[in-house]
Amino acid sequence: MTALYVKIDDEIEGTRWLGRPPLLSDSELICLAVAQALLGYHSEARWLRYAHKKLLSFRS
């Protein structure tokens, strides 16, 4: 996922938002969408439950 993030971040050009800055960058959002697809979560609700349970342990 790190290599995918770096590749996506290199390919996306600049920031494209107005107003308040987003909580996630475009690259981070795309990586999460790819992870959801690769892990086979077709339901957004199930993906969010999984991410909340498993991925919060990685926060510092």
Side-chain angles (χ1 to χ4, degrees), residues 12-46:
I12 292 179
E13 296 181 19
T15 56
R16 294 177 274 133
W17 74 83
L18 297 174
R20 189 173 69 184
L23 296 176
L24 292 174
S25 70
D26 291 342
S27 303
E28 292 167 331
L29 191 57
I30 292 170
C31 279
L32 285 173
V34 170
Q36 177 182 353
L38 290 175
L39 291 171
Y41 286 92
H42 302 290
S43 165
E44 193 75 22
R46 285 186 181 188

Side-chain angles (χ1 to χ4, degrees), residues 41-60:
Y41 286 92
H42 302 290
S43 165
E44 193 75 22
R46 285 186 181 188
W47 167 247
L48 290 174
R49 279 194 303 271
Y50 171 82
H52 182 73
K53 182 178 178 184
K54 298 292 184 177
L55 301 179
L56 280 180
S57 63
F58 292 110
R59 281 180 35 179
S60 308

